[in-house]
Amino acid sequence: MSDPFFFGYGSLVNRRTHAYPHAMQAHVTGWRRVWRGTSLRQIAFLTVEAHPDAQIAGLIAAVPGADWGALDLREAAYARHPVDRIRHAHPKVREVQIYAVEPHLIDDGQHPILLSYLDTVIQGFLDEFGTQGARDFFDGTDGWHLPILNDRADPVYPRATVLTPGERAVVDENLARIRRQIVPA
């Protein structure tokens, strides 16, 4: 019997933010990625919502011994849901779970998106899927009406990573392309 897997679609795509084994690229159908505010904090979460025709790219990775404790703690604002429609090349995947913020926690207020969070996510997409994968992230994610808070100089996001100037440029160019302005922290 093989270990269960999670599907990461945001910061979990960035391998610098975790040490889960056997990570590999995957695509999930039936979920869409969206930035959402919640009643839990003033900053936006990246989450997914069920959507029959949507498809998102990300990583799957094993959860050794089905010990979900550490990952559930990291993803405390989220609940796990089974993934039914997934494409990947791993030969021994028996179960895949995806984390989504529970609907009763959603708050439609203007919770800002942390730029350090977005930077970390996009760095992972650049590593895994290249420039087109980063562009697809921007185009395939909803919730860009929320303000983008520039915390790059003093990151608030707890797993913030250091981007190269080229990686930062990809983030900034895509934000300009989708007409999103960054507001000072």
Side-chain angles (χ1 to χ4, degrees), residues 35 41 43-45 111-121 147-152 154-158 185:
W35 292 103
R41 65 179 188 185
I43 303 300
F45 284 88
H111 301 268
I113 299 167
L114 292 175
L115 187 55
S116 62
Y117 185 6
L118 178 59
D119 283 346
T120 300
V121 170
I148 312 290
L149 184 66
N150 188 353
D151 68 329
R152 274 184 178 155
D154 187 17
V156 174
Y157 182 61

Side-chain angles (χ1 to χ4, degrees), residues 76-126:
Y78 302 81
R80 282 187 274 123
H81 302 272
V83 171
D84 298 323
R85 299 181 326 184
I86 186 166
R87 288 184 298 116
H88 57 80
H90 199 290
K92 296 183 180 179
V93 175
R94 66 175 174 87
E95 172 192 348
V96 178
Q97 300 277 322
I98 192 168
Y99 284 92
V101 172
E102 289 299 303
H104 71 276
L105 297 174
I106 300 296
D107 173 355
D108 290 328
Q110 289 296 301
H111 301 268
I113 299 167
L114 292 175
L115 187 55
S116 62
Y117 185 6
L118 178 59
D119 283 346
T120 300
V121 170
I122 295 303
Q123 184 182 54
F125 275 84
L126 287 168

